[in-house]
C-alpha cells in the first residue's frame, strides 16, 4: 500500500494538493476521463497584461466548439446564442467592451451546471476574471 505522503510518517491525513503561484501558467487536472485545463492570466494588480480581444474570442470559440458534444437542449441553444453574439462583438476589434465581459460572465454563471465539466469554460472564466469581469 502506498504511503499518504505525510512527512511525519504517520497518521491518516487526507490527501491534499497545493498550488503555489500559477500566474502566467497553465495546468490541467482531472480523472475518470474528465480533464479541466485552466489558463491563469493573473489580475490587473499583478502587472500581467490583460487578455486581448483575440484571446477572448478564441476562448469563446473553444467553448462553443466544446458545447457541440453536449446533448441538445433549450439551455444549450440559449448559451450557443449568447456565445455567438459575444463572438460577433469580439471579431475585428482591438478593444474589449465591458458589456461583452459582463454578458459572458452572466452567461457562464447562469449556465454553470451545463458547462461546469467543460475545460473551455474554465479558460474563458479565467480570462474574464483577468479583465475584471
Amino acid at each position: 500500500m502506498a504511503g499518504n505522503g505525510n512527512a511525519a510518517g504517520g497518521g491518516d491525513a487526507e490527501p491534499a494538493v497545493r498550488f503555489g503561484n500559477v500566474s502566467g501558467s497553465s495546468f490541467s487536472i482531472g480523472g475518470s476521463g474528465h480533464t479541466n485545463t485552466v489558463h491563469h492570466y493573473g489580475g490587473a494588480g499583478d502587472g500581467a497584461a490583460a487578455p486581448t480581444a483575440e484571446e477572448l474570442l478564441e476562448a469563446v470559440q473553444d467553448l462553443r466548439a466544446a458545447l457541440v458534444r453536449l446533448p441538445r437542449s433549450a439551455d444549450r441553444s440559449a448559451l450557443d446564442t449568447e456565445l455567438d453574439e459575444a463572438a460577433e462583438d469580439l471579431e475585428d476589434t482591438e478593444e474589449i467592451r465591458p458589456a461583452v465581459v459582463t454578458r459572458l460572465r452572466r452567461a457562464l454563471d447562469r449556465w454553470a451546471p451545463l458547462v461546469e465539466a467543460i475545460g473551455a469554460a474554465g479558460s474563458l472564466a479565467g480570462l474574464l476574471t483577468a479583465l475584471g469581469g
Side-chain angles (χ1 to χ4, degrees):
M1 185 162 144
N4 65 4
N6 187 336
D12 293 325
E14 291 292 318
V17 176
R18 283 205 176 133
F19 294 99
N21 182 353
V22 294
S23 179
S25 302
S26 297
F27 58 92
S28 183
I29 56 176
S32 303
H34 298 287
T35 301
N36 296 302
T37 301
V38 177
H39 302 280
H40 180 77
Y41 291 92
D46 67 3
T52 64
E54 185 177 327
E55 289 173 313
L56 190 57
L57 175 60
E58 184 178 329
V60 167
Q61 291 169 335
D62 287 349
L63 178 54
R64 181 74 176 78
L67 287 175
V68 172
R69 294 187 295 267
L70 296 179
R72 292 188 184 273
S73 68
D75 285 348
R76 187 186 121 188
S77 294
L79 180 54
D80 285 343
T81 299
E82 285 282 346
L83 294 174
D84 287 343
E85 289 172 3
E88 285 178 23
D89 287 344
L90 291 167
E91 288 176 349
D92 301 322
T93 186
E94 297 287 321
E95 187 175 314
I96 301 170
R97 293 182 307 132
V100 174
V101 174
T102 300
R103 183 173 54 200
L104 285 170
R105 171 53 65 198
R106 286 182 181 158
L108 287 180
D109 288 345
R110 180 176 180 192
W111 289 291
L114 180 68
V115 299
E116 68 185 359
I118 300 175
S123 296
L124 178 57
L127 289 171
L128 294 172
T129 299
L131 289 166

